[in-house]
Amino acid sequence: MKTQQAPYQAHLFVCTKTRGDQRKSCGDGDNPDLKTILKDEVKQRGWKSAVRVSEASCLGVCDAGPNIMIYPQKIWLSGVTRADLPKILELVGSLVSESA
């Protein structure tokens, strides 16, 4: 096993888990688009080498979802909607600026 430092200043884990309408989940409605929109914005802003956006299957708190975790800063965002994305991107931008 090789151990190394993560290459990203911020890594966003976006939960897209859906339970097929059995109960509330992060992937309900248009919520899976959150990951796609964030990935596109990261690319457009030139942050691709510093910021990674990944899909998370389940973060364990579906009732509070959609959920996004940002590491290594240990930031947890719940109840995220498309309307929150500009604020999230502003936050990520400040993290990238601080680390640069």
Side-chain angles (χ1 to χ4, degrees):
M1 172 174 67
K2 181 179 178 184
T3 302
Q4 60 190 29
Q5 189 167 3
Y8 303 106
Q9 295 173 23
H11 194 154
L12 286 71
F13 294 90
V14 182
C15 184
T16 58
K17 176 74 173 177
T18 184
R19 299 183 187 283
D21 293 328
Q22 294 174 359
R23 67 178 205 206
K24 185 179 184 322
S25 58
C26 292
D28 292 344
D30 62 0
N31 296 334
D33 292 339
L34 297 174
K35 182 194 81 151
T36 302
I37 294 167
L38 286 169
K39 281 185 83 117
D40 290 346
E41 286 291 329
V42 164
K43 184 177 180 181
Q44 287 178 11
R45 293 167 191 245
W47 297 341
K48 224 175 157 195
S49 64
V51 178
R52 176 82 176 167
V53 179
S54 297
E55 181 176 322
S57 177
C58 184
L59 300 176
V61 287
C62 300
D63 290 337
N67 297 286
I68 297 176
M69 293 188 308
I70 303 175
Y71 275 87
Q73 294 82 8
K74 299 179 184 176
I75 298 169
W76 189 288
L77 307 168
S78 294
V80 177
T81 68
R82 285 180 184 217
D84 298 317
L85 294 182
K87 193 174 242 183
I88 293 169
L89 289 162
E90 182 180 327
L91 170 62
V92 172
S94 73
L95 297 173
V96 171
S97 298
E98 289 173 6
S99 301

